[in-house]
Amino acid sequence: MDSRPIGVFDSGIGGLTVVKEIMEQLPNESIVYFGDTARVPYGSKSKETITKFSFQCINFLLEKKVKAIVVACNTASAASLDAIMQSYDIPIVGVVEPGAIAACQVTKSNKIGIIGTESTVSSGAYEKEINVINNDVKMVLKACPLFVPIAEEGWQDTEIAKLTARKYLEELKDKNIDALVMACTHYPLLENTIGEIMGANIKLVNPAYETAKVLTTVLHDLKIQSKSNKNSNYEFYVSDNPVKFKKVGENFLKRPIAYVQKIEIEKY
Ligand code: DGL
């Protein structure tokens, strides 16, 4: 038994979709979340910059005495997970591998769609991960950057979301894919809209959900689960604008956020 918290970080608010899944699947665990709201988006930045930011996020979380780290950001996982894994001696779970495994499990046609930020799409991380699991799988990738501000505005179920989703996704519909990975923290909020456009025959894969499942196994295998939820505690830190984070974050988390503290991430 280990009651130390899980550290979770993201480029901003989106990682709360992963936190939501961890809270549901692992209610005994405490969580320290860091959202890099001063430097979001990561999705348009270079691998070097994203890697430097990821190291700083982890250094901050380590100061909070976390027992494991979840890289909730698809962009950060895609760009920097290899470098991170080589540098830290703590269990680290990214979102790309869990999403890739789930997509390979659900596809029957061996044709998978992947939607994410520009950086995730151009990183090749999902192709690499999926082809390690099944070399016969073919992929179609598409960046859908406008889904991020739509989710942050809380417009996920509006006509604007539908029109945007149609514009991005229509071309994926005649590519014979039967699974679509929502490879960005924000996209699960648009799950209904994306599902409506893609139709019932295309299974949507949510890496946030899959990551919480993998985290459960990691904690269990290492025997570092927390046994009791009596003291489970959630702390939220950001690098800018805690008031906005609290307001928008409650839409992502579907529960109230008590308090958000601003920290100086450049120090780490
Ligand atoms: N969190 C990012 C991701 O999952 C989306 C927002 C950003 O570009 O930083 O890829």
Side-chain angles (χ1 to χ4, degrees):
M1 153 150 186
D2 186 337
S3 59
R4 287 176 301 159
I6 311 284
V8 182
F9 79 88
D10 177 55
S11 56
I13 239 152
L16 293 177
T17 53
V18 180
V19 170
K20 176 172 167 282
E21 298 295 343
I22 298 173
M23 287 173 167
E24 281 169 16
Q25 294 182 40
L26 291 161
N28 294 350
E29 300 297 336
S30 293
I31 298 171
V32 177
Y33 181 86
F34 174 67
D36 198 359
T37 48
R39 304 187 295 194
V40 70
Y42 284 9
S44 52
K45 296 193 169 69
S46 69
K47 185 180 170 79
E48 293 68 37
T49 300
I50 298 164
T51 304
K52 179 186 143 200
F53 289 174
S54 296
F55 275 75
Q56 290 179 312
C57 296
I58 293 178
N59 293 341
F60 167 70
L61 291 172
L62 290 177
E63 206 177 83
K64 295 286 164 195
K65 306 268 176 284
V66 297
K67 62 183 171 189
I69 289 188
V70 176
V71 185
C73 181
N74 279 263
T75 302
S77 293
S80 64
L81 198 70
D82 291 347
I84 293 169
M85 293 285 219
Q86 281 165 21
S87 306
Y88 292 96
D89 191 19
I90 182 169
I92 299 177
V93 179
V95 285
V96 173
E97 194 184 359
I101 293 170
C104 289
Q105 281 164 352
V106 301
T107 185
K108 298 219 165 27
S109 67
N110 277 351
K111 201 121 193 257
I112 296 173
I114 295 156
I115 51 175
T117 63
E118 296 286 356
S119 174
T120 298
V121 163
S122 62
S123 70
Y126 271 92
E127 289 101 311
K128 198 170 134 209
E129 220 42 85
I130 285 175
N131 281 146
V132 167
I133 303 163
N134 182 348
N135 203 25
D136 292 331
V137 170
K138 299 275 176 283
M139 282 152 269
V140 189
L141 289 98
K142 175 91 187 160
C144 305
L146 290 178
F147 285 169
V148 169
I150 287 173
E152 294 201 3
E153 284 296 333
W155 289 354
Q156 57 267 25
D157 298 312
T158 64
E159 217 37 54
I160 293 172
K162 269 188 210 147
L163 285 171
T164 311
R166 189 163 293 122
K167 179 91 180 144
Y168 282 139
L169 303 177
E170 205 64 55
E171 68 183 75
L172 297 184
K173 288 177 67 179
D174 41 69
K175 296 274 184 351
N176 294 326
I177 59 168
D178 63 352
L180 180 68
V181 185
M182 298 182 288
C184 172
T185 45
H186 292 60
Y187 299 3
L189 268 93
L190 284 97
E191 186 163 0
N192 291 340
T193 304
I194 295 170
E196 217 175 281
I197 306 290
M198 297 310 291
N201 293 335
I202 297 180
K203 300 237 162 30
L204 300 184
V205 175
N206 180 356
Y209 173 80
E210 303 300 333
T211 300
K213 265 174 43 188
V214 169
L215 178 65
T216 307
T217 308
V218 168
L219 298 182
H220 175 265
D221 291 353
L222 296 172
K223 299 189 177 46
I224 53 171
Q225 324 90 302
S226 175
K227 288 280 186 296
S228 151
N229 68 357
K230 274 201 216 96
N231 305 314
S232 67
N233 179 46
Y234 305 127
E235 291 176 24
F236 299 92
Y237 297 87
V238 292
S239 47
D240 199 13
N241 209 340
V243 176
K244 182 172 179 217
F245 180 92
K246 180 169 153 42
K247 186 164 158 270
V248 180
E250 288 175 349
N251 175 36
F252 277 64
L253 210 51
K254 310 284 180 233
R255 64 167 90 189
I257 295 175
Y259 180 67
V260 185
Q261 191 178 328
K262 179 173 179 279
I263 60 123
E264 288 305 324
I265 193 63
E266 295 291 355
K267 265 185 5 202
Y268 290 88

